[in-house]
Amino acid sequence: MLRPFGQGAALALALALPVAAEPVTTFTLDNGLSVVVIEDHRAPVVVQMIWYRVGAADEPPGHSGIAHFLEHLLFKGTEKIAPNAFSGIVEAQGGDDNAFTSWDYTAYFQRIAADRLDLVMEMEADRMRNLRLTEEDVATERQVILEERAQRTDTSPGALLSEQMRAAQFQNGPYGIPVIGWRHEMEQLSREDALSYYTRFYAPNNATLVIAGDVLPDEVKALAEKHYGPLAPSDGITPRDRPQEPPQLAERRITLADERVSEPYVFRTYLAPERDPGNQKEAAALTVLAELLGGSGQTSVLARALQFDRQVAVYSSAFYDGTSIDDATFGLIVVPAPDVSLETIEADMDRVIDDFLKTGPDPAALDRIRTQVRAADIYARDDVNALARRYGESLSVGLTIADIESWDDALSAVTEADIMAAAEKVFDRRNAVTGWLTRPDLLETPE
């Protein structure tokens, strides 16, 4: 009993104390590179992240997967760094590195001792504009991403269902295209495709450099001007004006039956608004709504109603992440008990949502969620990597430093009225895609 008490006391103390925002300094180099410095002097460690404001949603038609493909190719080397040697150099210095691609951005990072920042900044700046690719590099890495798709998507019924649902959810916008790409288009990606995309988008005026850890702003500025300052900007950067969703007039339903499915489930997504610069109230309400409905496996609305009171489900969840440029999704997942059909559990899920819309949240539950989200925000500041990601991701989708620093306040200010207004708006079945994942033997056979 001592451990839970200690954790509770620590949480109470954390919430009782005023939380000082981490020191953040920003500046922009003459070539357009935005730089954010987040000071954290508790350990002699630094994280460098470079965020390119381009992702899967910005790909040219017919070239799906090129953003993720280029992420792989950026490790192939330059005139200074031998092919595939980048990560080895970082590891030899006691650090680690990686990269990731989403619909709105592509990011690369290194976590290393603070006195090695000069080295990794030189390396990252070098590959921003000096990538060297051979036909062999491209052919080899193309096979790697095809195998990645095979392992993560093509052999996973759940991943295939999610992919099909996104394609149905976004009728006109590019978020319906998978980040990994469609296989038939991935197979055709060429060296010319990669270099054209790289030359246009990988440039200082399309990037945000985030440095977090045991650093001083003046030192970072001197290093950034030394390594990134000489790089030429791209003249191909234009506003990210994308096709927008038309009014969605009818729910879409998808059933994916696969003999590999062990646990059938119901998965529904609704089109939902994103976090908007200067106005995060609605996104904050949706974030709290997701926590209320399905954030906890013990105390959330769905869990209590379906898993404990009626015991018709073994798992339930709700999720929302509005950190995107265009409309996002609000999702619900319910896994039925073994003797409960998907039709029955979907009807039960809908009854719970309908009851919530009539009665609203329990005041005690709402207070608890406010406490949890504030605690999560406080504890997230203990991780320089999470801090760097928080700022980089938000800035890459058009949010501002002020938006990032006021997000906790927006969450804390959410009222019951805000939650109910957001719920009434989002839970519109015309904006929904409902998916069933099941096995062929569980489908009803028409008479």
mmCIF file of all heavy atoms in Angstrom, residues 168-169 171 245-252 271 428-432:
data_model
loop_
_atom_site.group_PDB
_atom_site.id
_atom_site.type_symbol
_atom_site.label_atom_id
_atom_site.label_comp_id
_atom_site.label_asym_id
_atom_site.label_seq_id
_atom_site.Cartn_x
_atom_site.Cartn_y
_atom_site.Cartn_z
ATOM 1 N N ALA A 168 -12.225 5.547 -46.684
ATOM 2 C CA ALA A 168 -13.653 5.865 -46.764
ATOM 3 C C ALA A 168 -14.005 7.129 -45.986
ATOM 4 O O ALA A 168 -14.921 7.862 -46.357
ATOM 5 C CB ALA A 168 -14.476 4.689 -46.229
ATOM 6 N N GLN A 169 -13.258 7.391 -44.893
ATOM 7 C CA GLN A 169 -13.553 8.549 -44.058
ATOM 8 C C GLN A 169 -13.276 9.868 -44.785
ATOM 9 O O GLN A 169 -14.074 10.801 -44.735
ATOM 10 C CB GLN A 169 -12.711 8.493 -42.777
ATOM 11 C CG GLN A 169 -12.947 9.654 -41.815
ATOM 12 C CD GLN A 169 -14.258 9.545 -41.086
ATOM 13 O OE1 GLN A 169 -14.375 8.832 -40.113
ATOM 14 N NE2 GLN A 169 -15.277 10.263 -41.557
ATOM 15 N N GLN A 171 -13.195 11.622 -47.984
ATOM 16 C CA GLN A 171 -13.724 11.450 -49.339
ATOM 17 C C GLN A 171 -13.000 12.309 -50.362
ATOM 18 O O GLN A 171 -12.998 11.998 -51.552
ATOM 19 C CB GLN A 171 -15.219 11.773 -49.343
ATOM 20 C CG GLN A 171 -16.035 10.854 -48.443
ATOM 21 C CD GLN A 171 -17.513 11.202 -48.445
ATOM 22 O OE1 GLN A 171 -17.898 12.371 -48.560
ATOM 23 N NE2 GLN A 171 -18.351 10.192 -48.317
ATOM 24 N N GLU A 245 -12.811 18.493 -47.259
ATOM 25 C CA GLU A 245 -13.920 17.547 -47.278
ATOM 26 C C GLU A 245 -15.232 18.247 -47.619
ATOM 27 O O GLU A 245 -15.545 19.307 -47.064
ATOM 28 C CB GLU A 245 -14.057 16.862 -45.918
ATOM 29 C CG GLU A 245 -12.930 15.900 -45.596
ATOM 30 C CD GLU A 245 -12.847 14.761 -46.594
ATOM 31 O OE1 GLU A 245 -13.903 14.177 -46.906
ATOM 32 O OE2 GLU A 245 -11.735 14.467 -47.058
ATOM 33 N N PRO A 246 -16.038 17.667 -48.515
ATOM 34 C CA PRO A 246 -17.391 18.175 -48.748
ATOM 35 C C PRO A 246 -18.286 17.727 -47.598
ATOM 36 O O PRO A 246 -17.876 16.900 -46.768
ATOM 37 C CB PRO A 246 -17.789 17.464 -50.046
ATOM 38 C CG PRO A 246 -17.074 16.151 -49.962
ATOM 39 C CD PRO A 246 -15.764 16.447 -49.295
ATOM 40 N N PRO A 247 -19.507 18.243 -47.508
ATOM 41 C CA PRO A 247 -20.433 17.705 -46.504
ATOM 42 C C PRO A 247 -20.602 16.205 -46.719
ATOM 43 O O PRO A 247 -20.832 15.746 -47.837
ATOM 44 C CB PRO A 247 -21.733 18.466 -46.796
ATOM 45 C CG PRO A 247 -21.296 19.722 -47.470
ATOM 46 C CD PRO A 247 -20.090 19.358 -48.278
ATOM 47 N N GLN A 248 -20.465 15.453 -45.650
ATOM 48 C CA GLN A 248 -20.627 14.006 -45.754
ATOM 49 C C GLN A 248 -22.085 13.666 -45.438
ATOM 50 O O GLN A 248 -22.598 14.026 -44.386
ATOM 51 C CB GLN A 248 -19.649 13.300 -44.818
ATOM 52 C CG GLN A 248 -18.204 13.599 -45.210
ATOM 53 C CD GLN A 248 -17.185 12.727 -44.500
ATOM 54 O OE1 GLN A 248 -17.498 11.981 -43.579
ATOM 55 N NE2 GLN A 248 -15.934 12.814 -44.937
ATOM 56 N N LEU A 249 -22.728 12.954 -46.337
ATOM 57 C CA LEU A 249 -24.183 12.810 -46.304
ATOM 58 C C LEU A 249 -24.667 11.459 -45.812
ATOM 59 O O LEU A 249 -25.860 11.299 -45.526
ATOM 60 C CB LEU A 249 -24.757 13.053 -47.714
ATOM 61 C CG LEU A 249 -24.363 14.384 -48.364
ATOM 62 C CD1 LEU A 249 -24.955 14.476 -49.763
ATOM 63 C CD2 LEU A 249 -24.816 15.555 -47.501
ATOM 64 N N ALA A 250 -23.759 10.477 -45.715
ATOM 65 C CA ALA A 250 -24.211 9.145 -45.327
ATOM 66 C C ALA A 250 -23.091 8.387 -44.637
ATOM 67 O O ALA A 250 -21.925 8.472 -45.050
ATOM 68 C CB ALA A 250 -24.689 8.358 -46.553
ATOM 69 N N GLU A 251 -23.465 7.633 -43.599
ATOM 70 C CA GLU A 251 -22.499 6.761 -42.943
ATOM 71 C C GLU A 251 -21.977 5.718 -43.920
ATOM 72 O O GLU A 251 -22.716 5.206 -44.769
ATOM 73 C CB GLU A 251 -23.165 6.054 -41.759
ATOM 74 C CG GLU A 251 -22.232 5.106 -41.024
ATOM 75 C CD GLU A 251 -22.926 4.324 -39.922
ATOM 76 O OE1 GLU A 251 -24.166 4.401 -39.834
ATOM 77 O OE2 GLU A 251 -22.227 3.639 -39.152
ATOM 78 N N ARG A 252 -20.702 5.411 -43.803
ATOM 79 C CA ARG A 252 -20.112 4.332 -44.582
ATOM 80 C C ARG A 252 -19.825 3.151 -43.666
ATOM 81 O O ARG A 252 -19.398 3.343 -42.524
ATOM 82 C CB ARG A 252 -18.806 4.787 -45.241
ATOM 83 C CG ARG A 252 -18.993 5.665 -46.465
ATOM 84 C CD ARG A 252 -18.266 6.988 -46.355
ATOM 85 N NE ARG A 252 -18.974 7.909 -45.478
ATOM 86 C CZ ARG A 252 -18.410 8.952 -44.869
ATOM 87 N NH1 ARG A 252 -17.129 9.186 -45.022
ATOM 88 N NH2 ARG A 252 -19.140 9.753 -44.103
ATOM 89 N N LEU A 271 -15.590 12.106 -38.458
ATOM 90 C CA LEU A 271 -14.834 13.296 -38.836
ATOM 91 C C LEU A 271 -14.936 14.299 -37.694
ATOM 92 O O LEU A 271 -16.025 14.530 -37.151
ATOM 93 C CB LEU A 271 -15.410 13.884 -40.124
ATOM 94 C CG LEU A 271 -14.489 14.781 -40.954
ATOM 95 C CD1 LEU A 271 -13.304 13.991 -41.479
ATOM 96 C CD2 LEU A 271 -15.270 15.401 -42.103
ATOM 97 N N ASP A 428 -22.340 12.501 -35.264
ATOM 98 C CA ASP A 428 -23.271 12.587 -36.389
ATOM 99 C C ASP A 428 -22.944 11.421 -37.311
ATOM 100 O O ASP A 428 -21.881 11.373 -37.922
ATOM 101 C CB ASP A 428 -23.075 13.927 -37.112
ATOM 102 C CG ASP A 428 -24.044 14.129 -38.267
ATOM 103 O OD1 ASP A 428 -24.634 13.137 -38.744
ATOM 104 O OD2 ASP A 428 -24.182 15.292 -38.702
ATOM 105 N N ARG A 429 -23.863 10.462 -37.406
ATOM 106 C CA ARG A 429 -23.571 9.248 -38.162
ATOM 107 C C ARG A 429 -23.333 9.517 -39.648
ATOM 108 O O ARG A 429 -22.742 8.691 -40.345
ATOM 109 C CB ARG A 429 -24.697 8.231 -37.979
ATOM 110 C CG ARG A 429 -24.813 7.694 -36.549
ATOM 111 C CD ARG A 429 -23.658 6.754 -36.219
ATOM 112 N NE ARG A 429 -23.880 5.445 -36.800
ATOM 113 C CZ ARG A 429 -24.552 4.471 -36.205
ATOM 114 N NH1 ARG A 429 -25.069 4.650 -34.987
ATOM 115 N NH2 ARG A 429 -24.695 3.295 -36.795
ATOM 116 N N ARG A 430 -23.759 10.659 -40.157
ATOM 117 C CA ARG A 430 -23.474 10.990 -41.547
ATOM 118 C C ARG A 430 -21.983 11.215 -41.765
ATOM 119 O O ARG A 430 -21.479 11.080 -42.884
ATOM 120 C CB ARG A 430 -24.258 12.238 -41.964
ATOM 121 C CG ARG A 430 -25.763 12.055 -41.989
ATOM 122 C CD ARG A 430 -26.458 13.382 -42.214
ATOM 123 N NE ARG A 430 -26.190 14.337 -41.125
ATOM 124 C CZ ARG A 430 -26.685 15.560 -41.062
ATOM 125 N NH1 ARG A 430 -27.472 16.014 -42.041
ATOM 126 N NH2 ARG A 430 -26.396 16.349 -40.043
ATOM 127 N N ASN A 431 -21.263 11.556 -40.685
ATOM 128 C CA ASN A 431 -19.822 11.795 -40.761
ATOM 129 C C ASN A 431 -19.008 10.590 -40.297
ATOM 130 O O ASN A 431 -17.814 10.716 -40.039
ATOM 131 C CB ASN A 431 -19.439 12.995 -39.886
ATOM 132 C CG ASN A 431 -20.035 14.290 -40.393
ATOM 133 O OD1 ASN A 431 -20.232 14.458 -41.587
ATOM 134 N ND2 ASN A 431 -20.325 15.199 -39.475
ATOM 135 N N ALA A 432 -19.647 9.432 -40.185
ATOM 136 C CA ALA A 432 -19.008 8.282 -39.558
ATOM 137 C C ALA A 432 -18.695 7.172 -40.550
ATOM 138 O O ALA A 432 -19.372 7.003 -41.564
ATOM 139 C CB ALA A 432 -19.900 7.729 -38.449
#
